[in-house]
Amino acid sequence: QIRCLVNLTMWTKLSKANNGKDGYIRAEVFNNDKETPIKTVEEQLVEPYHSALQIRCLVNVNHRHAYLFELETVPFFTRQWDGEYDSPMDADEKHSHKCNITERYDNEDSSDDEDEEATGHQYHYSVIVDVKKLVGYEGKVIEERHEIESVPRHAIEFINMPYTSDAFLKNSFRHEMQLPNGIFPNAWMEEEQKVNE
């Protein structure tokens, strides 16, 4: 019952922000845009994206470093984006994390990059990903920060935040739920008839 109340509260709050078609933003529109560069964090301070959108990056934040002592600072990792490591062909092995775009620059190798030419994106990005992990037998929570450079556009995606899809618009088409009579056992139907008599 508490969970239902929380869901109802979230639904009501966000539906006010997405009141009708003017306030609704589809993440697919941004994902299919092959020309407009993605805004950096600094640019979003002036012209932010809609609150219903979240930027996520296909990056792998796993590593083989062992934590032998209690951490006093947040571990910081920096590296170049690697297609085989960060975006494997097997969809079950892909990693998607919320990320912040810190820098955008021209893809210097765009002329040799068939994939980027095919998608029409000519920019690479530097991103920061903050993650929390459970380590050790005691399951301690640690925080890590990963800075990944040269991330291609196809490794960055927009998603709609929970409760902000078109199903939650106030003016969306809704249909009453209908159940065929054949779904109920005859014994149930007969009992209902006796009660009515």
Side-chain angles (χ1 to χ4, degrees):
Q1 184 176 5
I2 295 177
R3 184 167 183 170
C4 292
L5 181 60
V6 171
N7 290 344
L8 179 60
T9 303
M10 291 292 294
W11 186 91
T12 305
K13 182 194 302 183
L14 293 175
S15 66
K16 291 180 180 179
N18 297 339
N19 188 10
K21 295 181 180 178
D22 293 338
Y24 175 57
I25 301 294
R26 289 176 57 96
E28 291 85 354
V29 173
F30 291 87
N31 291 330
N32 294 332
D33 188 347
K34 302 184 183 302
E35 297 181 359
T36 306
I38 301 178
K39 301 173 187 175
T40 64
V41 175
E42 185 176 352
E43 291 171 339
Q44 291 181 49
L45 293 176
V46 180
E47 189 177 358
Y49 287 112
H50 195 280
S51 59
L53 296 174
Q54 183 183 94
I55 300 177
R56 299 183 71 86
C57 297
L58 297 178
V59 294
N60 191 343
V61 294
N62 296 327
H63 55 78
R64 297 182 179 179
H65 297 281
Y67 295 106
L68 303 179
F69 305 98
E70 190 75 21
L71 298 176
E72 297 183 358
T73 60
V74 176
F76 185 83
F77 302 89
T78 179
R79 63 176 176 83
Q80 296 284 319
W81 191 84
D82 184 337
E84 295 183 2
Y85 180 71
D86 291 302
S87 185
M89 296 298 293
D90 188 352
D92 294 334
E93 296 182 2
K94 289 189 176 181
H95 303 262
S96 177
H97 299 277
K98 179 182 177 182
C99 59
N100 292 319
I101 311 296
T102 58
E103 188 178 357
R104 178 182 65 249
Y105 37 87
D106 291 330
N107 179 14
E108 297 178 355
D109 300 327
S110 60
S111 58
D112 299 328
D113 194 335
E114 296 181 358
D115 187 52
E116 289 299 321
E117 284 187 342
T119 58
H121 300 292
Q122 300 180 353
Y123 298 100
H124 275 183
Y125 301 84
S126 294
V127 306
I128 287 183
V129 181
D130 293 316
V131 296
K132 293 183 179 180
K133 296 182 178 179
L134 295 176
V135 297
Y137 295 105
E138 299 179 358
K140 291 185 178 180
V141 178
I142 64 168
E143 296 181 2
E144 292 180 351
R145 170 162 286 194
H146 296 256
E147 182 180 27
I148 303 174
E149 301 177 348
S150 299
V151 179
R153 174 62 180 86
H154 65 78
I156 303 173
E157 60 183 358
F158 290 83
I159 66 168
N160 282 109
M161 297 288 287
Y163 303 102
T164 62
S165 67
D166 55 356
F168 296 94
L169 291 174
K170 287 185 176 181
N171 64 345
S172 62
F173 174 76
R174 306 192 189 281
H175 195 289
E176 63 179 2
M177 295 183 64
Q178 299 179 350
L179 296 176
N181 291 332
I183 199 172
F184 300 106
N186 292 332
W188 292 9
M189 304 298 289
E190 294 175 358
E191 187 68 26
E192 182 179 356
Q193 292 176 0
K194 292 179 181 179
V195 172
N196 292 335
E197 293 176 355

